[in-house]
Amino acid sequence: MFRYLPFENESHSPCIGSYHTFGLRILLSQNGIEKEVMLLPDISTDFSFVLRLADIFTTKQLDPIHLLDVLEDSL
């Protein structure tokens, strides 16, 4: 089972300085063991958007191999 979790990180741009972004951490649970399979930072500055994506992707069990295509379509 895949679990998608939002996480916050701080980024920096020479033009605007420091700012907060949100990304997704993807965990795979098998036989009671969780393993991180992917960490994708800096998806959006909108936490609600990333949280909604994490919920949908976990509920629908999106395979991480499709994640970048689905994110591109979502943005």
Side-chain angles (χ1 to χ4, degrees):
M1 176 177 171
F2 292 108
R3 273 200 323 145
Y4 288 79
L5 303 171
F7 72 95
E8 181 178 15
N9 62 310
E10 190 172 321
S11 295
H12 183 80
S13 166
C15 298
I16 62 172
S18 293
Y19 62 99
H20 291 271
T21 63
F22 300 93
L24 288 171
R25 180 177 182 221
I26 300 96
L27 303 174
L28 176 61
S29 296
Q30 287 182 323
N31 302 322
I33 299 171
E34 276 193 331
K35 180 175 119 176
E36 183 176 278
V37 293
M38 186 184 286
L39 193 64
L40 190 62
D42 200 11
I43 293 172
S44 175
T45 58
D46 183 354
F47 176 71
S48 297
F49 174 69
V50 176
L51 181 61
R52 218 174 21 243
L53 290 177
D55 182 51
I56 292 168
F57 296 167
T58 298
T59 301
K60 299 295 184 179
Q61 284 299 287
L62 177 70
D63 191 309
I65 64 170
H66 302 293
L67 179 61
L68 294 179
D69 290 330
V70 173
L71 282 175
E72 184 178 352
D73 292 342
S74 300
L75 298 173

